Short mmCIF file of all heavy atoms in Angstrom, two decimals:
data_model
loop_
_atom_site.label_atom_id
_atom_site.label_comp_id
_atom_site.label_asym_id
_atom_site.label_seq_id
_atom_site.Cartn_x
_atom_site.Cartn_y
_atom_site.Cartn_z
N TYR K 1188 117.00 -82.76 16.56
CA TYR K 1188 116.21 -81.56 16.91
C TYR K 1188 117.06 -80.26 16.68
O TYR K 1188 116.46 -79.19 16.46
CB TYR K 1188 115.64 -81.63 18.33
CG TYR K 1188 114.28 -81.05 18.45
CD1 TYR K 1188 113.18 -81.86 18.24
CD2 TYR K 1188 114.10 -79.66 18.61
CE1 TYR K 1188 111.83 -81.21 18.33
CE2 TYR K 1188 112.86 -79.08 18.78
CZ TYR K 1188 111.75 -79.93 18.57
OH TYR K 1188 110.47 -79.32 18.57
N GLU K 1191 117.16 -75.75 17.98
CA GLU K 1191 115.95 -75.17 18.52
C GLU K 1191 115.78 -75.69 20.00
O GLU K 1191 115.02 -75.19 20.86
CB GLU K 1191 114.69 -75.64 17.76
CG GLU K 1191 114.22 -74.51 16.75
CD GLU K 1191 112.91 -74.77 16.27
OE1 GLU K 1191 112.06 -75.44 16.87
OE2 GLU K 1191 112.58 -74.20 15.11
N ARG K 1239 111.40 -73.40 22.56
CA ARG K 1239 112.12 -73.67 21.35
C ARG K 1239 112.89 -72.42 21.02
O ARG K 1239 112.35 -71.34 20.88
CB ARG K 1239 111.12 -73.91 20.32
CG ARG K 1239 110.24 -75.13 20.45
CD ARG K 1239 109.28 -75.44 19.32
NE ARG K 1239 108.45 -76.64 19.69
CZ ARG K 1239 107.50 -77.07 18.89
NH1 ARG K 1239 107.13 -76.38 17.87
NH2 ARG K 1239 106.72 -78.08 19.27
N GLU K 1241 113.78 -70.53 18.82
CA GLU K 1241 113.47 -70.12 17.37
C GLU K 1241 114.56 -69.14 16.87
O GLU K 1241 115.09 -68.36 17.54
CB GLU K 1241 112.20 -69.39 17.38
CG GLU K 1241 111.01 -70.15 17.87
CD GLU K 1241 110.29 -70.99 16.83
OE1 GLU K 1241 110.62 -70.81 15.60
OE2 GLU K 1241 109.38 -71.78 17.13
N ARG K 1250 105.13 -65.88 17.84
CA ARG K 1250 106.30 -66.74 17.69
C ARG K 1250 107.33 -66.50 18.81
O ARG K 1250 108.25 -65.69 18.54
CB ARG K 1250 106.94 -66.73 16.31
CG ARG K 1250 108.06 -67.69 16.19
CD ARG K 1250 108.55 -67.85 14.66
NE ARG K 1250 107.50 -68.34 13.93
CZ ARG K 1250 106.96 -69.61 13.85
NH1 ARG K 1250 107.56 -70.56 14.55
NH2 ARG K 1250 106.06 -69.92 13.06
N PHE K 1254 106.63 -70.61 25.18
CA PHE K 1254 105.16 -70.52 24.91
C PHE K 1254 104.41 -71.61 25.49
O PHE K 1254 105.01 -72.68 25.82
CB PHE K 1254 105.04 -70.37 23.41
CG PHE K 1254 105.46 -71.62 22.60
CD1 PHE K 1254 104.59 -72.66 22.32
CD2 PHE K 1254 106.80 -71.79 22.25
CE1 PHE K 1254 104.99 -73.78 21.57
CE2 PHE K 1254 107.27 -72.92 21.59
CZ PHE K 1254 106.34 -73.95 21.20
N GLU K 1382 98.34 -70.18 11.77
CA GLU K 1382 98.26 -71.50 12.24
C GLU K 1382 98.11 -71.46 13.81
O GLU K 1382 98.98 -70.86 14.46
CB GLU K 1382 99.43 -72.28 11.86
CG GLU K 1382 99.33 -73.79 12.31
CD GLU K 1382 100.70 -74.42 12.48
OE1 GLU K 1382 101.55 -74.22 11.47
OE2 GLU K 1382 100.86 -75.26 13.35
N ARG K 1422 99.93 -68.44 21.68
CA ARG K 1422 99.82 -67.84 20.31
C ARG K 1422 98.38 -67.43 20.16
O ARG K 1422 98.09 -66.40 19.48
CB ARG K 1422 100.23 -68.92 19.30
CG ARG K 1422 99.96 -68.25 17.93
CD ARG K 1422 100.47 -69.27 16.81
NE ARG K 1422 101.88 -69.35 16.73
CZ ARG K 1422 102.48 -70.05 15.83
NH1 ARG K 1422 101.76 -70.77 14.80
NH2 ARG K 1422 103.85 -70.16 15.71
MG1 MG V 2169 108.14 -74.51 14.71
#
Side-chain angles (χ1 to χ4, degrees):
Y1188 218 92
E1191 263 195 25
R1239 293 183 186 173
E1241 301 273 353
R1250 184 168 299 284
F1254 59 97
E1382 182 201 320
R1422 176 178 288 186

